[in-house]
Structures are given as C-alpha cells and as structure tokens.
Amino acid sequence: MNFTHLWKKKRDAPGLAPAERRVGRLAGDASPLPQELKLYDALRGSVPVIDAALNKIVRLVGGFTVTCRGPGQKELDEFVREVPVGGAGKGLEAFLSCYLDNLLTYGNAVGEILLTPDGRRVAGLYNGDLQELDIRRDEGNPLGRRIFLRDGSPEGRAVQENGRILFTALNPRAGEVTGSSLLKGLPFVAGVLLKIFECTGLNFERAGNIRYAVTYRPGPDSLDQAYARERAAQIAKEWSSGMTAARNGMVTDFVSVGDVEIKTIGADCPIPGTEIPVRQMLEQIIAKLGIPPFLLGLSWSTTERMSKQQADILTSELACYRRLMNPVLAQICRTFLRLEGLSGEPEVQWSIINLQDEGEMARARLYNAQAAVLEKGQAKEDAV
C-alpha cells in the first residue's frame, strides 16, 4: 500500500478548499492557536504545582558536554560555554533550558541559529515565540513542514528554511507535524482545583470576618410595639459602634434592654473538608507530569521501595527528553564546526542524573564481570 499516494488523494479532495487545507484545525495541519498557548501559560501561573514540576523536569534533565571526533574540541568547548542566547543568556545550556521549557509547555519548540552579517560565523542562538509562528504541513511533501509568521494576514509570511531553523515536536500524532503539550488534558482538572481553592478562600474569609445578625423582638407593651423601628435602629447603631471600637483595640460592652438576640451568620454551617478532593486533583496532575510527589514537597504516604520505583520511572522520562534534545544540540554544534572550517563530528554526552543511578550502574557492571568470570571458569572445566 502506498501511504504517500493516499495522503495526496486526501490532500487534493474536491470537498476541501485550499484555504481550509492550510489553516484547518480539525485536519491537524496547523500549530496551536495563540489562545491555546495562553491557556497553558495561565495554567502554570495559576497552579504552582504545575509550574514547579515543569521547572524541575528542565533542571533534572541535567548538564551535558559536547565532544568532537576530530580537530576543534577547544573551539567547540568555548562555543558551548560562551555562545550568546537571546538578549540576556549565554551558553548552550541556557538555550536548551528555554527550548525544553517551551517544548513541555506548548508541545512544540522553535529556535534559530543566528549568523554574523557576513554569514561566516555563528552570532548566537534565538528561542522563537510560538505565539508569533504557525507550523503547518508541507502540502507538496508529506515529510516536510513549513513555518509562517503570524502577521495578521490569512496566509502569514513564510519563513525560509535554510538549515538553521530548529524545530522539535513532543509526541506528534500520526500525520501531523506539531506535537501535544505535556499539559494537555489538565485544564479541566486545574479548573476544578482552582474552584476548590477559591471556595476555600471565601469560606475562610467568611469565618475570619464574622458577620452578625441582631434581632430585636418588641414586647407585648403597646409602647414597645409603637417604637420598635426606632429602638431597632438605635440597637443597630450601638452594635456597629461597639464592633468598630473592638477593631480599634478598645474593649466595649454592649448592653440592651428587651428581647434582643445576636447570632453569627453562617456559624451553623461548617467549612467543608478539602483534603480529599484536592489530593484527587493533584494525583491527576502529577500522574500527567510524571514527577514523584516527594520531589514537589507532597508528604504522601509512601515506602522506600515505591520511592525508588518512582525515581526509576522519572529517570526513564528524563532520558526520553534527552533523546529529543540530541538532534537539536548536534545540529547547532555541527553548524558551528562547519562554519569554522572544521570537519569534526559532534557527540553529546549527558551527565549522570544522580549518584543513585551511578551506583546502580556500577553494581550492574560488577555483577556482569563476576558472571563472565564464572562462565569462563565453567567453560575451562567443561573443556578439561
């Protein structure tokens, strides 16, 4: 079966207008809209757990070194350490941190290798703003993509692909060039969590800023009933004055004559517990982000074995993100070497995530060496 042929037939379907093929969101051939990107930014700004988890993922991905198989290692080390990034950063790690942060938050990341005016050297690196870009499928090539600047026109302005554009998509669906945000599926859960927080704040405001209901019931005397309105107004005035004096630190007593009842508004309604629903929402968020709870300061009941398993799962997640970053780093370093007239091939070497992993790897190598010695001795005995 020729999938490319089927793709071309679907692309050239008579019932689909060219403009709809270019910008249709249902067809999946365009990048997320700016409103969707702003929603992910709002999630990070409203739910601190989400922002903390993404920041920890970026930091835990760890540092790296780039080696060159051939001449140019000294120049490459200086480039990795000193290359300008945007208007405030310096070093390839600064570029990678922003690049990976955009990839996790929006599902896509775009960067550019900037050259000097004469085009002979690398001037710096730039992280592209996805709200100003539109990534689409190339209508003439099922393996290609096209990047457009959102300039207000329906089509946008095409960006020339010159080998210096960096683009990575996170978990793209079949037939699409754009990826999915790590926060996809969390707006509803985060919305429920924010409603709980808002209601909790209102309940504690009600409990801390107490309101009173003062009820005056006139007696059977006709004189009391005739002046009930005036006496109620006088009681309300004196009660308000007493509460104002109490807020200013003055101790006052409220004295009244007659049948007067004072109640706290809402005292008979206890504040509902939020521990269980909040934990349920946080469990959904943490399961989506793949961060162990103890790394976020959540002291949920766990065991040492469970913590180790969670750390192993996190290590595999970080290794996946490292594999996504390898082509980007290699493309940047390879471009630098070629412009410098060097033919070496760069190779990215990541640092160990933590000492526990290094100890486990050393222990595994020891066991393999011991097994090899035993197998070699057994082979000699069998030969004899």
Side-chain angles (χ1 to χ4, degrees), residues 5 9 53 159 204 214 219 223 237 245-246 254 263 266 281 320 377:
H5 177 68
K9 290 179 61 178
V159 176
F204 275 92
V214 182
L223 186 62
K237 180 181 178 181
F254 178 76
K263 288 185 177 181
M281 298 300 105
C320 176

Side-chain angles (χ1 to χ4, degrees), residues 272-295:
T274 59
E275 182 179 358
I276 295 178
V278 167
R279 175 164 177 170
Q280 290 176 345
M281 298 300 105
L282 290 179
E283 286 175 347
Q284 298 294 323
I285 293 175
I286 291 175
K288 187 68 169 64
L289 299 178
I291 290 289
F294 60 85
L295 289 181

Side-chain angles (χ1 to χ4, degrees), residues 221-280:
D221 189 1
S222 58
L223 186 62
D224 290 343
Q225 296 179 0
Y227 293 95
R229 182 185 298 273
E230 290 78 2
R231 291 181 178 179
Q234 185 178 6
I235 292 173
K237 180 181 178 181
E238 295 299 328
W239 179 261
S240 179
S241 299
M243 293 297 100
T244 302
R247 283 196 294 268
N248 294 331
M250 299 176 60
V251 180
T252 60
D253 295 328
F254 178 76
V255 180
S256 177
V257 178
D259 188 1
V260 179
E261 182 182 7
I262 301 176
K263 288 185 177 181
T264 302
I265 298 177
D268 54 344
C269 180
I271 298 177
T274 59
E275 182 179 358
I276 295 178
V278 167
R279 175 164 177 170
Q280 290 176 345

Side-chain angles (χ1 to χ4, degrees), residues 36 49 76 83 103 117 172 202 212 258 297 358 365:
E36 184 177 351
V49 171
L76 184 59
V83 58
L103 181 65
L202 294 176
Y212 298 93
E358 189 174 6
R365 289 196 299 268

Side-chain angles (χ1 to χ4, degrees), residues 291-367:
I291 290 289
F294 60 85
L295 289 181
L296 299 174
L298 300 175
S299 57
W300 293 347
S301 59
T302 183
T303 62
E304 182 179 357
R305 182 178 181 86
M306 184 182 298
S307 300
K308 183 180 181 302
Q309 292 176 348
Q310 291 175 347
D312 292 340
I313 294 175
L314 176 61
T315 302
S316 64
E317 293 286 339
L318 299 178
C320 176
Y321 297 138
R322 287 180 170 185
R323 289 193 295 270
L324 291 176
M325 295 297 102
N326 279 336
V328 176
L329 297 175
Q331 181 179 352
I332 295 173
C333 296
R334 187 180 298 111
T335 301
F336 167 77
L337 292 174
R338 298 300 178 267
L339 291 176
E340 294 292 328
L342 301 172
S343 60
E345 187 66 20
E347 182 178 353
V348 181
Q349 296 179 354
W350 294 91
S351 59
I352 300 298
I353 294 178
N354 55 43
L355 295 179
Q356 180 181 0
D357 291 343
E358 189 174 6
E360 293 294 335
M361 293 174 61
R363 191 176 295 109
R365 289 196 299 268
L366 174 62
Y367 292 159

Side-chain angles (χ1 to χ4, degrees), residues 70-101:
Q73 183 63 50
K74 181 179 179 180
E75 293 83 356
L76 184 59
D77 292 339
E78 184 179 358
F79 170 77
V80 171
R81 185 176 60 254
E82 300 294 338
V83 58
V85 178
K90 180 178 290 188
L92 196 53
E93 288 192 10
F95 171 81
L96 185 66
S97 297
C98 184
Y99 192 87
L100 180 58
D101 188 271

